[in-house]
C-alpha cells in the first residue's frame, strides 16, 4: 500500500471509527502487530556467521599440540609460556592445552564467568570445501541438497508458536536476510534501526499516533494490542544507534560488525518481541598473508572478540535468557601454505556465549593433528556435527521440541553444551528417520 493511501485511511479513522476495519486490512507490512500470547518463549538467540571459513586452529589455539607448531612455522600462535615471545603475542591459556588467540583476550572474562563454551573439531559432513555449497547446506541445516529449501532458523520459527507476531520477531542485520532466516515465516532485514523511523516527520508521526489511538480506544484485546503497537512505534522512534549509551563496561568496536551488535542489544533491551537475530562478519578466506598475532586475521578476531565482549557486558541483565552462537562454514588446512596463508579445510569450531552455556570448558573430542589423525588431504577432522550444537540450543534453550522439522533426517546427540531452561525444555527422544518431512 502506498504511504498516501495509508495516511488517507488513517485520517478517516480519526473521525470515523467504522473505518478501522479497512485500515487494519491494509496495514503496512512494516507496522508492528504485537499480541499477548501465553506461550513459553525461550532464550533470545543471536547467530554470528563468520563468512569465508575461519581458521579454527588460530581462534582456539591447541598450544599443547606439538604438530600444530611443526605444521605452522610462521602462522602458529606462541605458547602461553613461551618466554621468547612478547606476552601480548602469546596464546591466552584456557585449560593447559587450548588457548585464545591474543586478539580474543577480551573474551577471557566471559570464559572466567563460565559464559563462554568453545566446541572444537566441529563442522558439517560436507566435504566439498566450497564456500557456496557449504554455507548453503549449513544455513539450511541439511546434508542433502534436495532437502528443504528454507533456512533452519525459519523452520525453527515455523515449528514453534510463541504467540508473538511482532515484525521484529526475527531480524537479519544487513542488506538482505541471511539464508538461515529465509522461508515461510516473515523476517526483517535491517540495515539500521533508523529505517523504522518516519523520516523525522513529526506531523506524520502525530497523525499516526492519533489514528491508532482512535482505532484502539477500548479495553478489549484489540484495544490492548493497539496500545502495544503504539508503544513499539514510540520505542523505535526513540532508538538512535549513534546516541545509544551502552553499559559502562561495554565498548563496541567502531566497525559495521560492532554497530550491528549494538543495534541488536538495543532491540533486546527495548523488548520489541525479538526472538532471533542474525549477523555476519566476513573476510575469513585467508589464503594469503593470514598473519599470526598480527595481520589480517588478527584484525578480524579483534573485531569479533571486542564486539562479543561488548555485547556480553551490555546485556548483563539478560544473560539468563540470551544465547549467542558463532559458526563458520568449514575450517582450514592444518599446514600453512607457501603464501603464508591457509587453504580450505574441513573441521572447524563453534563458540557459545551466554549465561546458560556449560562454560569454562572446551567441548568436543579432540582428534589430534598428527599425520595419521588428519582428515583428507591434511585437515582437522570433524568429531561434532554442528547440528548437535544447534539442536541442543533449540531444544533446551529455545523450548522447541520439533527438532525433526528444524533438522530433518538428523538424529541429534545431547552432549551437554548448554543447561536446560524450563522443565518442559528437553531434547525429544530420537525419532525414526522415516518421519514425514514438512518442507517449509
Amino acid at each position: 500500500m502506498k504511504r498516501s493511501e495509508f495516511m488517507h485511511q488513517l485520517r478517516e479513522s480519526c473521525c470515523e471509527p467504522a473505518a478501522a476495519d479497512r485500515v487494519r486490512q491494509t496495514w503496512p507490512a512494516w507496522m508492528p502487530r504485537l499480541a499477548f500470547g501465553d506461550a513459553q518463549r525461550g532464550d533470545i538467540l543471536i547467530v554470528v556467521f563468520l563468512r569465508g571459513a575461519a581458521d579454527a586452529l588460530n581462534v582456539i589455539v591447541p598450544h599443547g599440540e606439538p604438530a600444530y607448531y611443526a605444521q605452522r612455522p610462521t602462522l602458529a600462535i606462541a605458547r602461553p609460556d613461551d618466554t621468547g615471545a612478547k606476552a601480548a603475542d602469546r596464546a591466552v591459556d584456557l585449560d593447559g592445552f587450548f588457548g585464545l588467540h591474543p586478539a580474543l583476550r577480551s573474551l577471557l572474562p566471559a570464559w572466567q564467568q563460565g559464559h563462554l563454551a568453545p566446541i572444537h573439531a566441529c563442522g558439517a559432513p560436507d566435504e566439498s570445501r566450497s564456500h557456496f555449497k557449504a554455507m548453503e547446506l549449513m544455513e539450511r541445516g541439511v546434508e542433502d541438497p534436495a532437502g528443504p529449501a528454507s533456512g533452519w532458523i525459519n523452520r525453527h520459527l515455523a515449528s514453534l508458536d510463541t504467540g508473538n507476531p511482532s515484525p521484529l520477531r526475527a531480524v537479519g542485520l544487513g542488506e538482505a536476510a541471511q539464508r538461515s532466516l529465509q522461508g515461510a515465516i516473515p523476517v526483517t532485514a535491517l540495515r539500521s534501526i533508523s529505517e523504522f523511523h518516519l523520516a523525522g516527520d513529526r506531523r506524520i508521526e502525530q497523525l499516526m499516533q492519533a489514528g491508532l489511538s482512535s482505532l484502539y480506544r477500548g479495553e478489549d484485546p484489540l484495544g490492548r494490542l493497539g496500545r502495544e503497537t503504539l508503544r513499539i512505534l514510540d520505542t523505535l522512534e526513540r532508538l538512535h544507534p549513534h546516541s545509544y549509551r551502552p553499559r559502562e563496561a561495554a565498548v563496541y568496536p567502531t566497525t559495521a560488525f560492532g554497530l550491528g551488535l549494538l543495534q541488536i542489544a538495543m532491540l533486546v533491551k527495548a523488548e520489541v518481541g525479538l526472538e532471533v537475530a542474525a549477523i555476519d562478519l566476513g573476510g575469513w578466506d585467508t589464503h594469503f598473508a593470514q598473519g599470526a598475532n598480527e595481520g589480517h586475521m588478527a584484525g578480524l578476531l579483534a573485531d569479533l572478540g571486542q564486539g562479543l565482549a561488548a555485547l556480553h557486558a551490555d546485556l548483563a541483565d539478560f544473560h539468563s535468557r540470551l544465547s549467542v552462537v558463532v559458526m563458520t562454514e568449514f575450517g582450514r588446512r592444518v599446514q600453512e601454505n607457501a603464501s603464508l596463508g591457509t587453504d580450505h579445510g574441513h573441521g572447524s569450531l563453534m563458540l557459545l556465549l551466554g549465561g546458560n552455556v556449560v562454560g569454562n570448558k572446551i567441548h568436543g573430542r579432540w582428534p589430534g593433528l598428527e599425520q595419521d589423525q588428519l582428515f583428507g588431504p591434511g585437515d582437522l577432522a570433524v568429531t561434532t556435527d554442528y547440528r548437535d550444537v544447534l539442536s541442543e540450543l533449540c531444544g533446551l534453550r529455545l523450548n522447541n521440541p520439533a527438532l525433526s522439522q528444524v533438522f530433518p533426517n538428523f538424529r541429534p546427540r545431547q552432549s551437554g553444551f548448554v543447561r536446560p531452561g524450563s522443565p518442559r525444555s528437553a531434547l525429544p527422544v530420537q525419532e525414526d528417520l522415516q518421519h514425514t518431512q514438512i518442507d517449509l
Side-chain angles (χ1 to χ4, degrees):
M1 181 174 71
K2 295 180 180 179
R3 180 180 293 271
S4 59
E5 295 171 351
F6 172 68
M7 297 310 299
H8 172 72
Q9 292 194 21
L10 193 55
R11 289 189 190 96
E12 279 190 336
S13 70
C14 294
C15 306
E16 184 187 344
D21 286 340
R22 292 201 304 275
V23 175
R24 281 194 289 274
Q25 289 168 6
T26 54
W27 214 243
W30 50 265
M31 182 69 79
R33 296 169 174 82
L34 296 189
F36 294 84
D38 59 359
Q40 292 292 321
R41 262 189 240 170
D43 286 359
I44 298 169
L45 177 66
I46 300 174
V47 180
V48 179
F49 206 105
L50 308 181
R51 299 196 182 273
D55 180 16
L57 297 176
N58 274 20
V59 177
I60 301 297
V61 181
H63 61 77
E65 178 74 67
Y68 167 74
Y69 292 95
Q71 297 274 14
R72 297 188 171 199
T74 61
L75 295 185
I77 305 301
R79 294 181 176 89
D81 60 355
D82 185 351
T83 56
K86 297 178 182 178
D89 295 342
R90 305 174 198 163
V92 181
D93 186 49
L94 296 178
D95 65 355
F97 187 90
F98 291 104
L100 292 168
H101 186 288
L104 292 176
R105 190 180 300 272
S106 55
L107 289 178
L108 186 60
W111 168 269
Q112 293 168 335
Q113 285 180 271
H115 289 181
L116 177 65
I119 304 100
H120 224 314
C122 188
D126 175 61
E127 300 176 22
S128 69
R129 296 173 179 81
S130 160
H131 294 296
F132 175 80
K133 182 178 180 183
M135 285 190 286
E136 171 73 10
L137 293 177
M138 183 171 279
E139 293 193 274
R140 286 166 56 194
V142 298
E143 186 173 347
D144 183 354
S150 53
W152 72 267
I153 297 177
N154 199 282
R155 292 198 299 275
H156 154 68
L157 296 171
S159 58
L160 182 68
D161 182 8
T162 59
N164 172 24
S166 168
L168 298 177
R169 183 186 180 198
V171 169
L173 271 291
E175 295 290 332
Q178 284 76 0
R179 186 69 181 84
S180 56
L181 287 171
Q182 295 175 18
I185 299 300
V187 300
T188 298
L190 188 66
R191 288 172 298 181
S192 171
I193 287 175
S194 300
E195 292 180 347
F196 276 80
H197 295 175
L198 297 176
D201 191 325
R202 183 61 181 165
R203 182 187 63 82
I204 293 178
E205 181 182 347
Q206 289 175 337
L207 182 59
M208 184 175 290
Q209 297 279 1
L212 288 170
S213 296
S214 176
L215 284 172
Y216 299 118
R217 289 177 297 192
E219 293 301 322
D220 59 349
L222 190 59
R224 293 195 295 274
L225 183 147
R227 287 190 292 276
E228 184 68 7
T229 301
L230 285 168
R231 186 194 68 79
I232 194 172
L233 278 174
D234 183 62
T235 298
L236 287 173
E237 282 292 327
R238 294 170 187 270
L239 295 180
H240 295 278
H242 297 293
S243 61
Y244 172 68
R245 293 292 179 266
R247 291 173 68 103
E248 186 175 348
V251 181
Y252 290 93
T254 55
T255 61
F257 179 67
L259 178 60
L261 290 179
L262 179 147
Q263 293 188 92
I264 291 173
M266 293 173 67
L267 292 174
V268 171
K269 291 183 178 181
E271 302 280 6
V272 292
L274 181 69
E275 292 184 29
V276 182
I279 184 171
D280 299 335
L281 179 58
W284 299 89
D285 197 14
T286 51
H287 288 283
F288 309 98
Q290 175 175 310
N293 55 287
E294 295 180 343
H296 177 70
M297 182 171 172
L300 289 172
L301 287 173
D303 195 6
L304 175 67
Q306 292 166 18
L308 292 177
L311 183 77
H312 184 254
D314 197 11
L315 296 179
D317 293 338
F318 294 84
H319 284 174
S320 64
R321 53 191 183 98
L322 182 73
S323 291
V324 181
V325 59
V326 181
M327 56 197 297
T328 192
E329 64 263 38
F330 49 75
R332 307 196 75 83
R333 193 68 45 82
V334 175
Q335 184 177 28
E336 65 182 61
N337 63 30
S339 301
L340 302 182
T342 50
D343 296 323
H344 295 180
H346 189 50
S348 187
L349 90 167
M350 298 174 76
L351 301 176
L352 298 178
L353 181 68
N356 289 290
V357 307
V358 179
N360 204 239
K361 173 184 178 180
I362 306 292
H363 294 264
R365 181 176 63 81
W366 179 247
L369 299 180
E370 296 295 338
Q371 198 61 42
D372 62 349
Q373 297 170 321
L374 299 180
F375 179 83
D379 302 335
L380 178 68
V382 170
T383 61
T384 300
D385 192 298
Y386 76 100
R387 290 168 293 181
D388 283 326
V389 182
L390 297 180
S391 292
E392 202 163 303
L393 277 173
C394 287
L396 300 185
R397 297 307 319 163
L398 306 187
N399 294 345
N400 189 347
L403 299 183
S404 62
Q405 294 183 39
V406 182
F407 301 106
N409 291 331
F410 178 71
R411 292 188 178 189
R413 295 180 301 172
Q414 189 166 350
S415 301
F417 305 123
V418 298
R419 288 184 287 272
S422 64
R424 63 195 289 265
S425 300
L427 287 177
V429 177
Q430 292 183 350
E431 301 175 0
D432 184 351
L433 289 182
Q434 301 303 314
H435 65 266
T436 301
Q437 291 189 27
I438 299 177
D439 292 336
L440 301 171

